[in-house]
Amino acid sequence: MKRSIRVSGPITQTLLGCMAFAVTLFLIVPVLIIVPTSFSAGSFLAFPPPGFSLQWYERLLERDVWAESAWLSIWIALLVTLASTVLGTLGAFGLVRGSFWGQRVVLAFILSPLIIPGVIVAIAIYFFYAQMRLVGSPIAIAIAHTTIAVPFVVINVSASLQGFDRRLEMAAQNLGASHWDTFRLITLPIIRPGIFAGALFAFISSFDELIIALFIAGPRQVTLPLRMWESMKSSLDPTLAAISVIAVSISVALFFTSTWLQARAKRRTEALTETLVGGDA
Amino acid sequence: MKSLRNPGMLLIPLMAFLLVFYLLPVFLMLLRSAGEGWSFAPFVAAFDSVVTVKVFVFTVKVAVGVTLLTLLLAYPLAYFIVTTSDRMAALLMAIVLVPFWTSILIRSYAWMVLLGRKGVINELLTWIGVIETPIRMLNTTFAVYIGMIHVLLPFMILPILSALKGIDGRLVAAAENLGAGPASVFRHVILPLSMPGVIAGSVLVFVLALGFYITPALIGGPQDMMISMLIAQKVELYEWPEASAIAAVLLVLTLAALALVGRLISIEKVLGRATG
Protein backbone atom coordinates (compact mmCIF):
# COMPACT_ATOMS: atom_id res chain seq x y z
CA MET A 1 0.00 0.00 0.00
CA LYS A 2 1.09 3.53 -0.71
CA ARG A 3 2.68 5.34 2.21
CA SER A 4 0.30 8.04 3.45
CA ILE A 5 1.55 11.61 3.67
CA ARG A 6 -0.22 12.04 6.98
CA VAL A 7 2.01 13.66 9.59
CA SER A 8 -0.68 15.01 11.87
CA GLY A 9 -1.17 13.45 15.30
CA PRO A 10 -4.62 12.42 16.56
CA ILE A 11 -5.42 15.85 18.02
CA THR A 12 -4.42 17.80 14.90
CA GLN A 13 -6.27 15.28 12.75
CA THR A 14 -9.44 15.71 14.84
CA LEU A 15 -9.17 19.48 14.51
CA LEU A 16 -8.67 19.11 10.76
CA GLY A 17 -11.69 16.83 10.65
CA CYS A 18 -13.82 19.47 12.40
CA MET A 19 -12.66 22.09 9.93
CA ALA A 20 -13.34 19.80 6.98
CA PHE A 21 -16.79 19.12 8.43
CA ALA A 22 -17.51 22.85 8.75
CA VAL A 23 -16.38 23.57 5.18
CA THR A 24 -18.41 20.72 3.69
CA LEU A 25 -21.42 21.88 5.71
CA PHE A 26 -20.96 25.35 4.22
CA LEU A 27 -20.87 23.78 0.76
CA ILE A 28 -23.89 21.52 1.10
CA VAL A 29 -26.34 23.33 3.42
CA PRO A 30 -27.33 26.04 0.91
CA VAL A 31 -28.10 23.34 -1.66
CA LEU A 32 -30.18 21.38 0.87
CA ILE A 33 -32.00 24.35 2.41
CA ILE A 34 -34.12 24.81 -0.71
CA VAL A 35 -35.77 21.43 -0.09
CA PRO A 36 -37.71 22.36 3.10
CA THR A 37 -38.35 25.81 1.61
CA SER A 38 -40.10 24.27 -1.38
CA PHE A 39 -42.46 22.30 0.88
CA SER A 40 -43.24 25.27 3.11
CA ALA A 41 -46.84 26.10 3.97
CA GLY A 42 -45.92 29.75 4.44
CA SER A 43 -44.53 32.14 1.88
CA PHE A 44 -41.08 31.77 3.41
CA LEU A 45 -39.18 29.26 5.49
CA ALA A 46 -39.64 30.34 9.10
CA PHE A 47 -38.59 28.82 12.41
CA PRO A 48 -40.45 26.95 13.64
CA PRO A 49 -41.60 25.79 10.18
CA PRO A 50 -45.20 26.77 9.47
CA GLY A 51 -46.11 23.34 8.13
CA PHE A 52 -45.89 21.07 5.14
CA SER A 53 -47.56 21.83 1.83
CA LEU A 54 -47.24 21.08 -1.85
CA GLN A 55 -48.69 24.45 -2.88
CA TRP A 56 -45.53 25.69 -4.63
CA TYR A 57 -45.29 22.57 -6.77
CA GLU A 58 -48.98 22.90 -7.62
CA ARG A 59 -48.48 26.49 -8.61
CA LEU A 60 -45.64 25.38 -10.86
CA LEU A 61 -47.99 23.04 -12.69
CA GLU A 62 -50.80 25.61 -12.91
CA ARG A 63 -48.72 28.36 -14.42
CA ASP A 64 -47.75 27.21 -17.90
CA VAL A 65 -45.10 29.92 -18.31
CA TRP A 66 -42.73 27.80 -16.23
CA ALA A 67 -43.44 24.70 -18.31
CA GLU A 68 -42.97 26.71 -21.51
CA SER A 69 -39.61 27.98 -20.30
CA ALA A 70 -38.56 24.52 -19.19
CA TRP A 71 -39.39 23.05 -22.61
CA LEU A 72 -37.56 25.84 -24.41
CA SER A 73 -34.47 25.29 -22.25
CA ILE A 74 -34.60 21.51 -22.73
CA TRP A 75 -34.97 21.91 -26.47
CA ILE A 76 -32.05 24.32 -26.74
CA ALA A 77 -29.92 22.15 -24.45
CA LEU A 78 -30.60 19.07 -26.61
CA LEU A 79 -29.50 20.93 -29.76
CA VAL A 80 -26.39 22.11 -27.92
CA THR A 81 -25.65 18.59 -26.68
CA LEU A 82 -25.93 17.16 -30.18
CA ALA A 83 -23.77 19.85 -31.81
CA SER A 84 -21.10 19.97 -29.14
CA THR A 85 -20.86 16.18 -28.80
CA VAL A 86 -20.21 15.77 -32.52
CA LEU A 87 -17.84 18.75 -32.84
CA GLY A 88 -16.12 18.04 -29.52
CA THR A 89 -15.59 14.31 -30.05
CA LEU A 90 -14.09 14.84 -33.50
CA GLY A 91 -11.98 17.66 -32.08
CA ALA A 92 -10.72 15.52 -29.21
CA PHE A 93 -9.63 12.84 -31.67
CA GLY A 94 -7.80 15.49 -33.68
CA LEU A 95 -6.08 16.86 -30.59
CA VAL A 96 -5.03 13.56 -29.03
CA ARG A 97 -4.24 11.50 -32.12
CA GLY A 98 -3.05 14.24 -34.43
CA SER A 99 0.31 15.91 -34.29
CA PHE A 100 0.67 19.39 -35.65
CA TRP A 101 2.27 22.69 -34.89
CA GLY A 102 0.66 24.80 -32.17
CA GLN A 103 -1.33 21.98 -30.58
CA ARG A 104 -1.20 23.51 -27.12
CA VAL A 105 -2.39 26.86 -28.40
CA VAL A 106 -5.32 25.19 -30.16
CA LEU A 107 -6.25 23.37 -26.95
CA ALA A 108 -6.00 26.58 -24.93
CA PHE A 109 -8.20 28.34 -27.48
CA ILE A 110 -10.86 25.62 -27.41
CA LEU A 111 -10.95 25.65 -23.60
CA SER A 112 -10.83 29.43 -23.25
CA PRO A 113 -14.64 29.97 -23.15
CA LEU A 114 -14.58 28.28 -19.74
CA ILE A 115 -12.22 30.84 -18.24
CA ILE A 116 -12.97 34.06 -20.07
CA PRO A 117 -15.62 36.05 -18.16
CA GLY A 118 -19.11 35.11 -19.34
CA VAL A 119 -20.12 38.71 -19.92
CA ILE A 120 -17.32 39.22 -22.46
CA VAL A 121 -18.42 36.21 -24.50
CA ALA A 122 -22.05 37.24 -24.13
CA ILE A 123 -21.71 40.83 -25.32
CA ALA A 124 -19.33 39.88 -28.14
CA ILE A 125 -21.91 37.41 -29.44
CA TYR A 126 -24.73 39.89 -28.82
CA PHE A 127 -23.07 42.62 -30.92
CA PHE A 128 -22.28 40.08 -33.63
CA TYR A 129 -25.85 38.74 -33.70
CA ALA A 130 -27.30 42.25 -33.63
CA GLN A 131 -25.41 43.04 -36.84
CA MET A 132 -26.52 39.75 -38.41
CA ARG A 133 -30.10 40.29 -37.18
CA LEU A 134 -30.00 36.94 -35.37
CA VAL A 135 -31.09 38.15 -31.95
CA GLY A 136 -34.16 36.43 -30.59
CA SER A 137 -34.09 32.95 -32.10
CA PRO A 138 -33.70 29.69 -30.16
CA ILE A 139 -31.19 28.41 -32.76
CA ALA A 140 -29.05 31.48 -32.19
CA ILE A 141 -29.05 30.79 -28.45
CA ALA A 142 -28.10 27.15 -29.12
CA ILE A 143 -25.18 28.21 -31.34
CA ALA A 144 -23.89 30.58 -28.67
CA HIS A 145 -24.29 27.94 -25.94
CA THR A 146 -22.37 25.40 -28.05
CA THR A 147 -19.28 27.62 -27.71
CA ILE A 148 -19.29 27.24 -23.92
CA ALA A 149 -20.48 23.62 -23.92
CA VAL A 150 -17.97 22.16 -26.37
CA PRO A 151 -14.93 22.42 -24.03
CA PHE A 152 -16.57 19.94 -21.64
CA VAL A 153 -16.87 17.35 -24.42
CA VAL A 154 -13.27 17.96 -25.55
CA ILE A 155 -11.96 17.60 -21.97
CA ASN A 156 -13.85 14.39 -21.25
CA VAL A 157 -13.26 12.65 -24.57
CA SER A 158 -9.57 13.66 -24.59
CA ALA A 159 -9.19 12.20 -21.10
CA SER A 160 -10.66 8.87 -22.18
CA LEU A 161 -8.51 8.85 -25.33
CA GLN A 162 -5.36 9.56 -23.35
CA GLY A 163 -6.03 6.71 -20.95
CA PHE A 164 -6.52 4.44 -23.92
CA ASP A 165 -4.18 1.53 -24.54
CA ARG A 166 -3.62 1.67 -28.31
CA ARG A 167 -2.39 -1.90 -28.28
CA LEU A 168 -6.07 -2.85 -28.06
CA GLU A 169 -6.67 -1.37 -31.51
CA MET A 170 -3.55 -3.05 -32.88
CA ALA A 171 -4.64 -6.36 -31.38
CA ALA A 172 -8.03 -6.05 -33.07
CA GLN A 173 -6.43 -5.25 -36.42
CA ASN A 174 -3.97 -8.11 -36.12
CA LEU A 175 -6.99 -10.34 -35.60
CA GLY A 176 -8.34 -9.10 -38.94
CA ALA A 177 -10.75 -6.32 -37.99
CA SER A 178 -11.22 -3.47 -40.47
CA HIS A 179 -10.62 0.15 -39.44
CA TRP A 180 -14.34 0.74 -39.09
CA ASP A 181 -14.88 -2.45 -37.06
CA THR A 182 -11.95 -1.56 -34.82
CA PHE A 183 -13.50 1.83 -34.18
CA ARG A 184 -17.00 0.44 -33.65
CA LEU A 185 -16.06 -2.56 -31.49
CA ILE A 186 -13.00 -1.36 -29.60
CA THR A 187 -12.50 2.41 -29.67
CA LEU A 188 -16.08 3.58 -29.32
CA PRO A 189 -17.07 1.32 -26.38
CA ILE A 190 -13.96 2.39 -24.48
CA ILE A 191 -14.40 6.13 -24.96
CA ARG A 192 -18.21 6.03 -24.72
CA PRO A 193 -18.29 6.99 -21.01
CA GLY A 194 -16.09 9.98 -21.82
CA ILE A 195 -18.45 11.04 -24.61
CA PHE A 196 -21.42 10.46 -22.34
CA ALA A 197 -19.94 12.51 -19.49
CA GLY A 198 -19.05 15.30 -21.93
CA ALA A 199 -22.57 15.26 -23.38
CA LEU A 200 -24.09 15.46 -19.90
CA PHE A 201 -21.92 18.41 -19.00
CA ALA A 202 -22.76 20.08 -22.30
CA PHE A 203 -26.47 19.62 -21.63
CA ILE A 204 -26.25 21.04 -18.13
CA SER A 205 -24.02 23.95 -19.10
CA SER A 206 -26.61 25.05 -21.67
CA PHE A 207 -29.62 24.27 -19.47
CA ASP A 208 -28.18 26.41 -16.63
CA GLU A 209 -26.75 29.18 -18.79
CA LEU A 210 -28.02 32.66 -17.97
CA ILE A 211 -25.61 35.40 -19.04
CA ILE A 212 -25.59 34.77 -22.81
CA ALA A 213 -29.36 34.23 -22.83
CA LEU A 214 -29.77 37.48 -20.90
CA PHE A 215 -28.36 39.38 -23.88
CA ILE A 216 -29.39 37.46 -26.96
CA ALA A 217 -32.80 36.01 -26.10
CA GLY A 218 -35.78 37.91 -27.48
CA PRO A 219 -38.91 38.63 -25.42
CA ARG A 220 -40.44 35.39 -26.68
CA GLN A 221 -37.48 33.16 -25.78
CA VAL A 222 -37.58 33.15 -22.01
CA THR A 223 -35.38 30.22 -21.04
CA LEU A 224 -35.76 28.67 -17.60
CA PRO A 225 -32.73 30.46 -16.06
CA LEU A 226 -34.02 33.74 -17.54
CA ARG A 227 -37.45 33.24 -15.99
CA MET A 228 -35.85 32.34 -12.65
CA TRP A 229 -33.67 35.44 -12.84
CA GLU A 230 -36.67 37.68 -13.56
CA SER A 231 -38.62 36.08 -10.75
CA MET A 232 -35.71 36.41 -8.30
CA LYS A 233 -35.43 40.10 -9.00
CA SER A 234 -39.09 40.77 -8.24
CA SER A 235 -40.31 38.39 -5.56
CA LEU A 236 -38.79 35.49 -3.69
CA ASP A 237 -41.71 33.11 -3.42
CA PRO A 238 -40.94 29.42 -2.92
CA THR A 239 -42.05 28.55 -6.48
CA LEU A 240 -38.36 29.14 -7.17
CA ALA A 241 -37.43 26.66 -4.46
CA ALA A 242 -39.72 24.08 -6.03
CA ILE A 243 -38.21 24.52 -9.48
CA SER A 244 -34.70 24.50 -7.96
CA VAL A 245 -35.36 21.24 -6.13
CA ILE A 246 -36.45 19.62 -9.40
CA ALA A 247 -33.41 20.98 -11.25
CA VAL A 248 -30.94 19.96 -8.54
CA SER A 249 -32.44 16.46 -8.28
CA ILE A 250 -31.98 15.98 -12.01
CA SER A 251 -28.39 17.26 -11.88
CA VAL A 252 -27.46 15.08 -8.93
CA ALA A 253 -29.03 12.02 -10.54
CA LEU A 254 -27.08 12.70 -13.74
CA PHE A 255 -23.89 13.21 -11.73
CA PHE A 256 -24.16 9.86 -9.98
CA THR A 257 -25.14 8.11 -13.22
CA SER A 258 -22.07 9.41 -14.98
CA THR A 259 -19.78 8.53 -12.05
CA TRP A 260 -21.21 5.03 -11.98
CA LEU A 261 -20.95 4.56 -15.76
CA GLN A 262 -17.34 5.69 -15.77
CA ALA A 263 -16.38 3.40 -12.93
CA ARG A 264 -18.05 0.47 -14.72
CA ALA A 265 -16.39 1.32 -18.02
CA LYS A 266 -12.99 1.50 -16.33
CA ARG A 267 -13.41 -2.00 -14.88
CA ARG A 268 -14.49 -3.37 -18.26
CA THR A 269 -11.63 -1.75 -20.12
CA GLU A 270 -9.16 -3.16 -17.64
CA ALA A 271 -10.63 -6.62 -18.07
CA LEU A 272 -10.50 -6.28 -21.86
CA THR A 273 -6.90 -5.10 -21.77
CA GLU A 274 -6.00 -8.01 -19.51
CA THR A 275 -7.51 -10.51 -21.95
CA LEU A 276 -6.18 -9.06 -25.19
CA VAL A 277 -2.74 -7.77 -24.39
CA GLY A 278 -1.93 -9.23 -21.00
CA GLY A 279 -2.55 -6.27 -18.72
CA ASP A 280 0.02 -3.66 -17.77
CA ALA A 281 -2.36 -0.94 -18.96
CA MET B 1 -8.73 5.65 -37.83
CA LYS B 2 -5.46 5.01 -39.67
CA SER B 3 -7.29 5.72 -42.89
CA LEU B 4 -6.89 9.43 -42.12
CA ARG B 5 -3.46 10.67 -43.10
CA ASN B 6 -3.45 13.19 -40.29
CA PRO B 7 -6.07 12.83 -37.55
CA GLY B 8 -5.48 16.51 -36.80
CA MET B 9 -7.88 17.17 -39.69
CA LEU B 10 -10.72 16.08 -37.40
CA LEU B 11 -10.33 19.41 -35.62
CA ILE B 12 -11.44 21.37 -38.68
CA PRO B 13 -15.22 21.42 -38.04
CA LEU B 14 -14.76 22.51 -34.42
CA MET B 15 -12.17 25.13 -35.25
CA ALA B 16 -14.29 26.52 -38.10
CA PHE B 17 -17.27 26.76 -35.78
CA LEU B 18 -15.29 28.50 -33.03
CA LEU B 19 -13.59 30.88 -35.44
CA VAL B 20 -16.92 32.12 -36.82
CA PHE B 21 -19.08 32.11 -33.69
CA TYR B 22 -16.51 32.86 -31.00
CA LEU B 23 -13.21 34.35 -32.17
CA LEU B 24 -14.71 36.60 -34.84
CA PRO B 25 -17.31 38.16 -32.48
CA VAL B 26 -14.64 38.76 -29.82
CA PHE B 27 -12.33 40.24 -32.44
CA LEU B 28 -15.09 42.54 -33.73
CA MET B 29 -15.81 43.63 -30.18
CA LEU B 30 -12.15 44.52 -29.66
CA LEU B 31 -12.23 46.42 -32.96
CA ARG B 32 -15.25 48.33 -31.73
CA SER B 33 -13.39 49.31 -28.57
CA ALA B 34 -10.63 50.91 -30.66
CA GLY B 35 -13.07 53.58 -31.75
CA GLU B 36 -13.29 55.37 -35.08
CA GLY B 37 -9.96 55.89 -36.77
CA TRP B 38 -8.12 54.03 -33.99
CA SER B 39 -8.62 56.98 -31.67
CA PHE B 40 -9.19 54.73 -28.65
CA ALA B 41 -11.77 57.29 -27.58
CA PRO B 42 -13.97 54.61 -25.92
CA PHE B 43 -11.13 53.77 -23.51
CA VAL B 44 -10.68 57.42 -22.65
CA ALA B 45 -14.42 57.88 -22.16
CA ALA B 46 -14.76 54.72 -20.05
CA PHE B 47 -11.78 55.27 -17.79
CA ASP B 48 -12.23 58.99 -17.41
CA SER B 49 -15.12 58.22 -15.08
CA VAL B 50 -14.61 57.76 -11.36
CA VAL B 51 -17.20 54.98 -11.37
CA THR B 52 -15.20 52.77 -13.74
CA VAL B 53 -12.02 53.14 -11.72
CA LYS B 54 -13.88 52.47 -8.48
CA VAL B 55 -15.51 49.36 -9.97
CA PHE B 56 -12.13 48.02 -11.13
CA VAL B 57 -10.53 48.60 -7.73
CA PHE B 58 -13.49 46.96 -5.97
CA THR B 59 -13.47 43.96 -8.31
CA VAL B 60 -9.75 43.30 -7.91
CA LYS B 61 -10.07 43.71 -4.13
CA VAL B 62 -12.92 41.19 -3.96
CA ALA B 63 -11.10 38.77 -6.28
CA VAL B 64 -7.96 38.87 -4.12
CA GLY B 65 -9.97 38.55 -0.91
CA VAL B 66 -12.03 35.65 -2.22
CA THR B 67 -8.88 33.89 -3.47
CA LEU B 68 -7.16 34.14 -0.07
CA LEU B 69 -10.24 33.05 1.86
CA THR B 70 -10.94 30.05 -0.40
CA LEU B 71 -7.29 29.01 -0.07
CA LEU B 72 -7.60 29.20 3.72
CA LEU B 73 -10.70 26.98 3.67
CA ALA B 74 -9.66 24.63 0.87
CA TYR B 75 -6.17 23.58 1.98
CA PRO B 76 -7.12 21.95 5.30
CA LEU B 77 -10.09 20.23 3.65
CA ALA B 78 -7.92 18.89 0.81
CA TYR B 79 -5.28 17.70 3.29
CA PHE B 80 -7.94 15.99 5.38
CA ILE B 81 -9.41 14.25 2.31
CA VAL B 82 -5.97 12.89 1.36
CA THR B 83 -5.16 11.63 4.85
CA THR B 84 -8.52 10.21 5.93
CA SER B 85 -10.10 6.82 5.21
CA ASP B 86 -11.19 6.02 1.64
CA ARG B 87 -14.88 5.98 2.49
CA MET B 88 -14.76 9.32 4.25
CA ALA B 89 -12.76 10.77 1.35
CA ALA B 90 -15.36 9.54 -1.17
CA LEU B 91 -18.18 11.08 0.87
CA LEU B 92 -16.39 14.43 1.18
CA MET B 93 -15.58 14.44 -2.55
CA ALA B 94 -19.25 13.88 -3.40
CA ILE B 95 -20.17 16.84 -1.18
CA VAL B 96 -17.55 19.00 -2.89
CA LEU B 97 -18.78 18.01 -6.35
CA VAL B 98 -22.57 18.15 -5.91
CA PRO B 99 -22.70 21.98 -5.63
CA PHE B 100 -20.50 21.97 -8.74
CA TRP B 101 -23.46 20.47 -10.59
CA THR B 102 -25.92 23.00 -9.22
CA SER B 103 -26.42 26.20 -11.18
CA ILE B 104 -25.00 29.45 -9.83
CA LEU B 105 -28.49 30.92 -10.10
CA ILE B 106 -29.98 28.30 -7.79
CA ARG B 107 -27.12 28.69 -5.33
CA SER B 108 -27.62 32.47 -5.28
CA TYR B 109 -31.29 31.87 -4.58
CA ALA B 110 -30.32 29.55 -1.73
CA TRP B 111 -28.20 32.30 -0.20
CA MET B 112 -31.12 34.71 -0.54
CA VAL B 113 -33.27 32.24 1.39
CA LEU B 114 -30.56 31.88 4.05
CA LEU B 115 -29.37 35.46 4.45
CA GLY B 116 -32.53 37.49 3.87
CA ARG B 117 -34.24 39.71 6.47
CA LYS B 118 -36.84 37.02 6.97
CA GLY B 119 -34.34 34.37 5.94
CA VAL B 120 -33.47 31.13 7.67
CA ILE B 121 -30.49 32.45 9.65
CA ASN B 122 -32.32 35.52 10.98
CA GLU B 123 -35.43 33.51 11.83
CA LEU B 124 -33.35 30.85 13.56
CA LEU B 125 -31.34 33.37 15.59
CA THR B 126 -34.50 35.25 16.60
CA TRP B 127 -36.21 31.99 17.57
CA ILE B 128 -33.29 30.94 19.78
CA GLY B 129 -33.24 34.43 21.22
CA VAL B 130 -29.73 35.48 20.23
CA ILE B 131 -30.97 38.55 18.40
CA GLU B 132 -34.13 40.65 18.66
CA THR B 133 -34.13 42.43 15.33
CA PRO B 134 -32.95 40.78 12.11
CA ILE B 135 -29.35 41.47 11.02
CA ARG B 136 -28.86 42.87 7.56
CA MET B 137 -26.84 40.28 5.64
CA LEU B 138 -28.38 40.07 2.17
CA ASN B 139 -27.39 42.81 -0.31
CA THR B 140 -24.12 43.49 1.47
CA THR B 141 -20.49 42.98 0.47
CA PHE B 142 -20.39 40.21 3.07
CA ALA B 143 -23.04 38.31 1.10
CA VAL B 144 -21.03 38.76 -2.10
CA TYR B 145 -17.97 37.20 -0.43
CA ILE B 146 -19.99 34.30 0.99
CA GLY B 147 -21.74 33.57 -2.32
CA MET B 148 -18.55 33.77 -4.37
CA ILE B 149 -16.52 31.63 -1.95
CA HIS B 150 -19.28 29.03 -2.11
CA VAL B 151 -19.13 28.86 -5.90
CA LEU B 152 -15.34 28.98 -6.18
CA LEU B 153 -14.26 26.61 -3.36
CA PRO B 154 -14.25 23.45 -5.52
CA PHE B 155 -11.96 25.17 -8.05
CA MET B 156 -9.43 25.62 -5.24
CA ILE B 157 -9.94 22.23 -3.57
CA LEU B 158 -9.46 20.10 -6.71
CA PRO B 159 -5.98 21.30 -7.83
CA ILE B 160 -4.65 21.25 -4.24
CA LEU B 161 -6.05 17.77 -3.78
CA SER B 162 -4.40 16.48 -6.93
CA ALA B 163 -1.05 18.03 -5.92
CA LEU B 164 -1.26 16.45 -2.45
CA LYS B 165 -2.19 13.08 -3.94
CA GLY B 166 0.89 13.24 -6.15
CA ILE B 167 3.30 13.54 -3.23
CA ASP B 168 5.38 10.41 -2.72
CA GLY B 169 4.79 9.18 0.84
CA ARG B 170 8.36 7.87 1.01
CA LEU B 171 9.63 11.46 1.07
CA VAL B 172 7.59 12.04 4.22
CA ALA B 173 8.95 8.80 5.70
CA ALA B 174 12.51 9.79 4.83
CA ALA B 175 12.12 13.20 6.47
CA GLU B 176 10.68 11.55 9.57
CA ASN B 177 13.53 9.03 9.73
CA LEU B 178 15.99 11.90 9.59
CA GLY B 179 14.37 13.25 12.73
CA ALA B 180 12.01 15.93 11.43
CA GLY B 181 8.92 16.59 13.55
CA PRO B 182 5.41 16.76 12.05
CA ALA B 183 5.44 20.57 11.74
CA SER B 184 8.82 20.50 10.09
CA VAL B 185 7.84 17.75 7.63
CA PHE B 186 4.75 19.71 6.69
CA ARG B 187 6.65 22.97 6.27
CA HIS B 188 9.65 21.60 4.39
CA VAL B 189 8.21 18.65 2.44
CA ILE B 190 4.43 18.67 2.04
CA LEU B 191 3.81 22.40 1.69
CA PRO B 192 6.47 23.06 -0.98
CA LEU B 193 5.43 19.97 -2.97
CA SER B 194 1.78 21.04 -2.94
CA MET B 195 2.60 24.57 -4.14
CA PRO B 196 1.85 23.86 -7.83
CA GLY B 197 -1.70 22.96 -6.80
CA VAL B 198 -1.99 26.04 -4.60
CA ILE B 199 -0.82 28.30 -7.43
CA ALA B 200 -3.04 26.67 -10.07
CA GLY B 201 -6.07 26.88 -7.77
CA SER B 202 -5.37 30.48 -6.76
CA VAL B 203 -4.98 31.70 -10.34
CA LEU B 204 -8.10 29.85 -11.43
CA VAL B 205 -10.18 31.25 -8.56
CA PHE B 206 -8.79 34.77 -9.03
CA VAL B 207 -9.51 34.79 -12.76
CA LEU B 208 -13.02 33.37 -12.37
CA ALA B 209 -13.73 35.85 -9.55
CA LEU B 210 -12.76 38.79 -11.78
CA GLY B 211 -15.58 37.93 -14.18
CA PHE B 212 -18.37 37.25 -11.68
CA TYR B 213 -21.76 38.61 -12.61
CA ILE B 214 -24.79 36.66 -11.37
CA THR B 215 -23.85 36.26 -7.70
CA PRO B 216 -22.95 39.92 -6.95
CA ALA B 217 -25.90 41.14 -9.03
CA LEU B 218 -28.38 39.07 -7.01
CA ILE B 219 -27.05 39.05 -3.46
CA GLY B 220 -24.85 42.15 -3.38
CA GLY B 221 -25.96 45.67 -2.61
CA PRO B 222 -25.93 48.67 -4.97
CA GLN B 223 -22.41 49.54 -3.81
CA ASP B 224 -21.09 46.10 -4.81
CA MET B 225 -20.78 46.67 -8.53
CA MET B 226 -18.25 44.44 -10.27
CA ILE B 227 -16.70 44.90 -13.72
CA SER B 228 -19.07 42.47 -15.46
CA MET B 229 -22.09 44.31 -14.06
CA LEU B 230 -20.72 47.62 -15.28
CA ILE B 231 -20.22 46.17 -18.76
CA ALA B 232 -23.79 44.86 -18.83
CA GLN B 233 -25.08 48.24 -17.66
CA LYS B 234 -23.22 50.06 -20.44
CA VAL B 235 -24.64 47.64 -23.02
CA GLU B 236 -28.17 48.31 -21.75
CA LEU B 237 -27.52 52.06 -22.09
CA TYR B 238 -26.38 51.46 -25.69
CA GLU B 239 -22.86 52.68 -24.85
CA TRP B 240 -21.44 49.78 -26.85
CA PRO B 241 -17.97 51.18 -27.59
CA GLU B 242 -17.42 51.95 -23.91
CA ALA B 243 -18.72 48.52 -22.91
CA SER B 244 -16.31 46.98 -25.43
CA ALA B 245 -13.40 49.01 -24.05
CA ILE B 246 -14.06 47.88 -20.48
CA ALA B 247 -14.52 44.30 -21.70
CA ALA B 248 -11.19 44.54 -23.55
CA VAL B 249 -9.41 45.62 -20.36
CA LEU B 250 -11.08 42.82 -18.39
CA LEU B 251 -10.03 40.35 -21.09
CA VAL B 252 -6.42 41.56 -20.96
CA LEU B 253 -6.46 41.37 -17.16
CA THR B 254 -7.76 37.78 -17.32
CA LEU B 255 -5.23 36.68 -19.93
CA ALA B 256 -2.39 38.40 -18.07
CA ALA B 257 -3.26 36.58 -14.84
CA LEU B 258 -3.26 33.30 -16.73
CA ALA B 259 -0.04 34.06 -18.59
CA LEU B 260 1.66 34.98 -15.34
CA VAL B 261 1.55 31.34 -14.37
CA GLY B 262 1.87 30.37 -17.96
CA ARG B 263 -0.23 27.27 -18.01
CA LEU B 264 -3.74 27.43 -19.32
CA ILE B 265 -3.47 23.68 -19.73
CA SER B 266 -3.54 22.99 -16.00
CA ILE B 267 -7.15 24.14 -16.09
CA GLU B 268 -7.94 21.22 -18.32
CA LYS B 269 -6.57 18.92 -15.65
CA VAL B 270 -8.63 20.62 -12.96
CA LEU B 271 -11.85 20.40 -14.89
CA GLY B 272 -11.04 16.94 -16.16
CA ARG B 273 -10.83 15.78 -12.60
CA ALA B 274 -14.02 17.53 -11.66
CA THR B 275 -15.91 15.82 -14.43
CA GLY B 276 -14.26 12.43 -14.30
Side-chain angles (χ1 to χ4, degrees), chain A residues 2-3 5 7 13 17 20 26-27 30 48 90 94 100 108 112 114 116 127 156 201 204 208 225 232 241 251 255, chain B residues 2 7 10-11 22 77 79-80 83 101 103 105 109-111 127 150 165 169 176 182 190 207 240 244 264 271 275:
Chain A
K2 212 178 137 217
R3 168 68 162 82
I5 62 162
V7 286
Q13 194 67 10
F26 168 72
L27 279 171
L90 287 175
F100 50 90
S112 64
L114 293 183
I116 287 178
F127 295 159
N156 281 287
F201 255 80
I204 289 177
D208 286 343
M232 269 154 106
S251 299
F255 167 68
Chain B
K2 217 164 63 186
L10 292 169
L11 268 165
Y22 173 53
L77 178 60
Y79 183 76
F80 185 74
T83 52
W101 280 65
S103 86
L105 201 56
Y109 169 71
W111 283 113
W127 189 51
H150 188 252
K165 274 186 182 161
E176 278 172 345
I190 298 174
V207 163
W240 289 10
S244 304
L264 192 66
L271 289 161
T275 62

Side-chain angles (χ1 to χ4, degrees), chain B residues 247-265:
Chain B
V249 176
L250 177 59
L251 183 63
V252 169
L253 216 59
T254 305
L255 296 179
L258 288 171
L260 208 65
V261 239
R263 297 179 73 91
L264 192 66
I265 306 304

Side-chain angles (χ1 to χ4, degrees), chain A residues 5, chain B residues 71 75 79 160 163-164 167 172 183-198:
Chain A
I5 62 162
Chain B
L71 181 58
Y75 201 102
Y79 183 76
I160 295 178
L164 285 173
I167 298 176
V172 174
S184 180
V185 175
F186 179 77
R187 215 180 97 70
H188 296 291
V189 179
I190 298 174
L191 193 60
L193 286 173
S194 63
M195 267 333 245
V198 170

Side-chain angles (χ1 to χ4, degrees), chain A residues 3-36:
Chain A
R3 168 68 162 82
S4 158
I5 62 162
R6 177 172 162 185
V7 286
S8 39
I11 297 172
T12 324
Q13 194 67 10
T14 312
L15 276 173
L16 270 172
C18 291
M19 244 194 113
F21 181 69
V23 176
T24 43
L25 220 56
F26 168 72
L27 279 171
I28 201 76
V29 164
V31 180
L32 295 181
I33 203 76
I34 54 177
V35 179

